[in-house]
């Protein structure tokens, strides 16, 4: 199996070349184009309850698509819904990673996926949701994000603070908890940053350079409401 | 010497290497290398996203070893003895074990609370719907019924229509003063069924008219439908459904995105199926009792409904599963043994009351 990220940046597309007999998994609805020899099936990856947790509580799709090269070699192009970058992360035996729901574009080779619940505070305020995807095994997985993706290594004994809404993925050896972004609650609120995620090394965190929720809120001011008294004003 | 699996982080910031480590006397040795770290240079902490692993950090060499192997932790605690590292290892082991049970308790409480809220909400749906129904003027029901009836092609001339109107008027003449103006129609439809719209419009399908043996059986079905109107069951059911949709919207997070409305519709259909559709058992009982009273008062035998259902059940089982759609009345008003017994008991009581008079 070979892969390549084309048009890196805001319009990134993942190209995967599968040889006869190979399989991969991708986010439902991510296909842009494919060779006729590749077959696509919807699969409940991680079991029924895992799929339910992901879709109902995690905002992820219930089904993942399994792309298989049953009839011969072929290529598939995959792209996320959001405008943003795509990054391939390699996964070796013994390692594990967590990915925010909705940010996993594809899993190649022998990647296993499960769903893990986050702590209440992290679920409510991290922007990653209550349920996150837990990946282990060996191979590669592909994350997508809003804006560019930055990989930040955090050495052992060091900490790193990421504003909530910007976290995409992190290695299983890191741990994070919610903190106020400023020195005091007042400065956190007035600075517009509010809460942030404080990661502890060793490990890595992948962050997106744009916050989809903040962008949605910004767009909201230009979208006319569906009615009601307030829609009459302005 | 035992070896343990761990991940080794160096200062490069690259992904960790999967290594085997050994606990030696006063040091940890990375197998296959000459690299070792003395106990006194190590700091041990619980770490990882789930708090299920521990990390050994050596600040002087800028490296860390992370593992989830508790046997490694035990070996370290034993080898380090009463030193600071030994204490940290025992504390970390205790914390990791405790975390597992805390997590279980935490999610049990959260799940229990959500389930309890859902059950309480569901139990409150019917009483709330009934109390909201009392605030709605019957004239609204009449308008709603007329609006719904406009969509049906109704027969207002045939002999069937005259028969239905005659029996319907006989039955509703027994009612006490009520805000509804009853109207009876026939709809050309092979399906054996009848329905009542809010406000008093009763529609009998031509399929049902063909199947009833006599006026007693027809009066049995129609009086039951009159019972639904008098008890405002259609309105209450609509309010119940509104509540259910509100709950589903709250759970699913609303209908903002593309395709969410369809998803919600599917979830609602599923919820309705799980609820076994249509009117509740209590509502069916209320309609049965009111219907029986009307039948007996109007001079009918009162056993028409039970007789009709018995005959239909026999016919349906003889025809096989393919005939089920035609016999819709059996699935929308299932005649369970309990229901049959309740109707027969009520009929017996009404007949005895009549005899005393």
């Amino acid at each position: 199996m070979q892969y390549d990220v084309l048009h890196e940046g805001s319009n990134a597309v993942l190209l995967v070349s599968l040889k006869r007999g190979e399989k991969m998994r991708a986010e439902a609805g991510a296909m842009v184009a494919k060779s006729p020899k590749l077959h696509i099936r919807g699969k409940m990856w991680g079991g029924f309850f895992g799929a339910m947790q992901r879709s109902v509580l995690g905002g992820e799709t219930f089904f993942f698509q399994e792309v298989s090269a049953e009839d011969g070699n072929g290529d598939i192009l995959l792209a996320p819904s959001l405008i943003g970058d795509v990054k391939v992360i390699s996964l070796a035996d013994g390692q594990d990673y967590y990915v925010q729901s909705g940010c996993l574009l594809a899993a190649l080779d022998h990647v296993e996926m499960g769903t893990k619940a986050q702590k209440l505070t992290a679920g409510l305020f991290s922007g990653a949701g209550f349920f996150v995807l837990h990946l282990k095994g060996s191979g590669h997985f592909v994350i997508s994000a809003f804006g560019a993706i930055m990989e930040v290594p955090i050495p052992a004994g060091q900490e790193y603070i990421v504003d909530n809404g910007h976290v995409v993925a992190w290695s299983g050896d890191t741990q994070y908890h919610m903190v106020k972004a400023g020195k005091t609650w007042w400065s956190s609120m007035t600075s517009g940053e509010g809460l942030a995620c404080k990661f502890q090394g060793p490990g890595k965190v992948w962050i997106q350079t744009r916050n989809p929720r903040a962008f949605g809120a910004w767009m909201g001011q230009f979208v006319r409401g569906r009615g009601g008294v307030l829609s009459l004003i302005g | 010497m035992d070896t343990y699996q761990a991940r080794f982080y160096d200062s490069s910031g690259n992904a960790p290497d999967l290594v085997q480590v050994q606990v030696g006397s006063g040091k940890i040795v990375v197998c296959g290398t000459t690299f070792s770290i003395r106990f006194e240079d190590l700091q041990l902490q619980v770490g990882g996203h789930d708090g299920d692993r521990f990390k050994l950090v050596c600040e002087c060499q800028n490296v860390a070893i992370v593992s989830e192997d508790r046997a490694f932790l035990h070996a370290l605690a034993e080898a380090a003895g009463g030193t600071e590292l030994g204490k940290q290892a025992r504390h970390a082991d205790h914390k990791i074990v405790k975390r597992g049970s805390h997590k279980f308790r935490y999610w049990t409480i959260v799940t229990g609370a959500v389930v309890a809220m859902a059950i309480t909400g569901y139990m409150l749906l019917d009483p709330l719907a009934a109390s909201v129904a009392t605030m709605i003027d019957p004239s609204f029901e009449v308008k709603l019924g007329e609006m719904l009836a406009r969509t049906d092609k109704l027969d207002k001339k045939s002999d069937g229509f005259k028969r239905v109107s005659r029996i319907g008027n006989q039955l509703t003449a027994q009612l006490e003063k009520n805000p509804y103006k009853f109207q009876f129609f026939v709809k050309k439809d092979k399906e054996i069924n009848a329905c009542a719209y809010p406000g008093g419009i009763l529609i009998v399908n031509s399929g049902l008219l063909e199947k009833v043996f006599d006026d007693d059986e027809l009066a049995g079905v129609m009086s039951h439908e009159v019972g639904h109107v008098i008890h405002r069951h259609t309105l209450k059911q609509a309010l119940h459904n509104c509540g259910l949709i509100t709950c589903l919207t709250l759970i699913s997070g609303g209908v903002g995105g593309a395709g969410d409305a369809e998803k919600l519709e599917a979830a609602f259909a599923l919820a309705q199926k799980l609820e076994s559709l249509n009117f509740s058992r209590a509502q069916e009982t209320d309609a049965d009792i009111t219907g029986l009273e009307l039948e007996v008062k109007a001079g009918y035998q009162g056993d028409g409904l039970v007789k009709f259902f018995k005959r239909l059940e026999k016919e349906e089982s003889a025809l096989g599963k393919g005939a089920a759609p035609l016999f819709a009345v059996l699935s929308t008003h299932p005649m369970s043994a309990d229901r049959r017994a309740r109707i027969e008991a009520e009929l017996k009581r009404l007949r005895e009351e009549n005899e005393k008079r």
Side-chain angles (χ1 to χ4, degrees):
Chain A
M1 195 180 300
Q2 287 184 316
Y3 62 84
D4 195 9
V5 178
L6 310 175
H7 310 293
E8 277 182 71
S10 40
N11 297 302
V13 178
L14 176 74
L15 167 70
V16 185
S17 303
L18 294 155
K19 286 187 185 146
R20 182 189 277 270
E22 287 183 330
K23 279 180 191 173
M24 63 162 291
R25 287 192 164 101
E27 187 184 17
M31 191 193 86
V32 176
K34 73 171 182 79
S35 308
K37 285 186 177 171
L38 298 186
H39 294 274
I40 289 174
R41 285 184 198 90
K43 289 260 174 173
M44 280 185 294
W45 199 12
F48 177 75
F49 288 106
M52 280 295 281
Q53 283 175 354
R54 261 201 329 267
S55 63
V56 177
L57 302 159
E60 181 62 87
T61 52
F62 184 82
F63 289 101
F64 265 76
Q65 50 178 313
E66 185 184 82
V67 185
S68 58
E70 288 166 22
D71 296 337
N73 303 350
D75 296 340
I76 184 163
L77 283 172
L78 299 159
S81 320
L82 277 177
I83 294 171
D85 210 355
V86 160
K87 192 166 182 69
V88 182
I89 299 171
S90 66
L91 176 64
D93 268 329
Q95 295 176 359
D96 64 330
Y97 292 90
Y98 288 89
V99 179
Q100 183 190 327
S101 281
C103 289
L104 181 71
L105 180 65
L108 318 172
D109 310 313
H110 307 289
V111 177
E112 296 164 34
M113 187 184 70
T115 310
K116 286 250 177 164
Q118 296 216 85
K119 279 184 267 179
L120 198 62
T121 46
L124 283 173
F125 304 115
S126 69
F130 271 103
F131 288 89
V132 289
L133 308 178
H134 183 221
L135 303 172
K136 55 185 185 176
S138 63
H140 296 85
F141 64 92
V142 188
I143 54 170
S144 62
F146 187 43
I149 299 175
M150 284 175 67
E151 181 182 297
V152 183
I154 311 168
Q158 290 191 25
E159 292 175 334
Y160 196 71
I161 293 173
V162 183
D163 187 27
N164 54 354
H166 286 272
V167 180
V168 177
W170 59 99
S171 50
D173 287 340
T174 58
Q175 110 186 103
Y176 79 85
H177 58 274
M178 300 309 299
V179 292
K180 47 187 186 298
K183 219 172 184 182
T184 61
W185 280 111
W186 177 249
S187 62
S188 297
M189 294 306 157
T190 50
S191 66
E193 298 302 339
L195 291 166
C197 309
K198 190 187 214 175
F199 284 85
Q200 286 175 317
K204 277 181 188 173
V205 57
W206 285 264
I207 57 179
Q208 55 191 358
T209 56
R210 296 287 181 273
N211 182 341
R213 276 177 199 272
F215 181 71
W218 180 80
M219 281 292 288
Q221 63 186 314
F222 304 111
V223 180
R224 191 171 274 275
R226 290 180 186 171
V229 180
L230 288 176
S231 67
L232 300 172
I233 314 162
Chain B
M1 207 184 287
D2 290 331
T3 58
Y4 309 100
Q5 200 176 63
R7 287 173 296 284
F8 184 80
Y9 286 85
D10 60 21
S11 54
S12 69
N14 290 332
D17 294 317
L18 190 65
V19 294
Q20 299 291 321
V21 293
Q22 286 179 331
V23 180
S25 61
K27 61 183 178 183
I28 288 173
V29 181
V30 179
C31 298
T33 67
T34 53
F35 191 83
S36 64
I37 317 170
R38 292 182 307 162
F39 283 173
E40 53 265 39
D41 294 334
L42 286 169
Q43 283 288 318
L44 192 149
Q45 291 164 355
V46 172
H49 177 75
D50 257 357
D52 57 349
R53 54 195 85 178
F54 58 94
K55 54 186 177 185
L56 290 153
V57 181
C58 173
E59 280 183 13
C60 59
Q61 296 188 61
N62 212 3
V63 294
I65 292 170
V66 183
S67 176
E68 44 273 293
D69 189 349
R70 281 182 57 221
F72 177 21
L73 199 55
H74 295 160
L76 202 60
E78 202 180 314
T83 63
E84 190 57 31
L85 185 69
K87 280 181 202 163
Q88 286 172 354
R90 280 185 285 279
H91 179 65
D93 189 42
H94 179 67
K95 223 172 156 183
I96 289 169
V97 173
K98 222 171 147 189
R99 191 160 187 88
S101 61
H102 271 180
K103 208 175 165 188
F104 177 76
R105 204 182 317 155
Y106 170 78
W107 283 107
T108 309
I109 292 169
V110 170
T111 314
V114 171
V115 170
M117 276 164 67
I119 292 172
T120 312
Y122 186 76
M123 303 280 276
L124 286 174
L125 263 183
D126 278 336
L128 275 174
S131 89
V132 173
T134 58
M135 297 175 208
I136 296 172
D137 196 86
S139 62
F140 171 76
E141 275 181 276
V142 175
K143 276 181 196 162
L144 186 68
E146 282 170 355
M147 196 178 77
L148 290 169
R150 247 177 256 154
T151 59
D152 291 317
K153 269 192 174 179
L154 302 173
D155 166 16
K156 299 171 190 171
K157 285 178 184 168
S158 68
D159 288 346
F161 164 72
K162 284 171 194 161
R163 185 183 176 197
V164 163
S165 297
R166 174 176 51 81
I167 295 173
N169 288 328
Q170 277 176 348
L171 291 168
T172 49
Q174 314 307 319
L175 286 169
E176 288 170 10
K177 199 181 168 193
N178 67 80
Y180 305 116
K181 188 187 161 205
F182 282 91
Q183 296 174 75
F184 308 93
F185 299 105
V186 173
K187 187 174 150 190
K188 208 175 172 188
D189 193 334
K190 279 184 180 176
E191 191 183 284
I192 304 162
N193 214 347
C195 69
Y197 288 146
I201 295 178
L202 249 86
I203 296 170
V204 178
N205 284 0
S206 54
L208 187 136
L209 270 181
E210 285 165 20
K211 280 284 169 197
V212 286
F213 185 69
D214 54 22
D215 283 359
D216 270 319
E217 288 188 356
L218 185 56
V221 175
M222 288 180 67
S223 61
H224 174 89
E225 294 302 328
V226 171
H228 279 312
V229 175
I230 290 298
H231 292 290
R232 311 181 86 185
H233 288 161
T234 313
L235 180 71
K236 285 174 189 171
Q237 200 59 24
L239 292 168
H240 170 104
N241 291 350
C242 285
L244 199 63
I245 288 179
T246 309
C247 292
L248 286 171
T249 312
L250 287 173
I251 293 166
S252 66
V255 283
D260 280 3
E262 288 81 2
K263 280 184 208 163
L264 195 64
E265 201 181 321
F268 180 62
L270 182 71
Q272 269 201 323
K273 263 188 188 172
L274 291 173
E275 281 194 303
S276 78
L277 272 163
N278 301 312
F279 298 117
S280 70
R281 217 171 98 168
Q283 287 174 329
E284 289 296 352
T285 305
D286 287 346
D288 281 340
I289 290 171
T290 305
L292 276 177
E293 281 174 6
L294 295 179
E295 272 184 90
V296 173
K297 277 186 190 169
Y300 290 100
Q301 292 296 316
D303 55 359
L305 189 69
V306 173
K307 270 188 187 171
F308 180 57
F309 269 69
K310 254 185 202 171
R311 213 157 35 75
L312 279 189
E313 279 163 3
K314 267 186 195 171
E315 274 186 45
E316 192 198 27
S317 59
L319 287 168
K321 273 189 179 174
L326 267 186
F327 291 75
V329 73
L330 292 180
S331 57
T332 55
H333 297 74
M335 183 63 80
S336 63
D338 276 0
R339 188 181 168 201
R340 189 169 289 150
R342 270 199 308 274
I343 292 175
E344 281 167 353
E346 181 64 17
L347 185 60
K348 196 179 163 194
R349 190 188 67 78
L350 285 170
R351 279 177 180 162
E352 281 170 4
E353 238 176 48
N354 269 6
E355 277 169 20
K356 277 180 198 167
R357 279 179 203 158

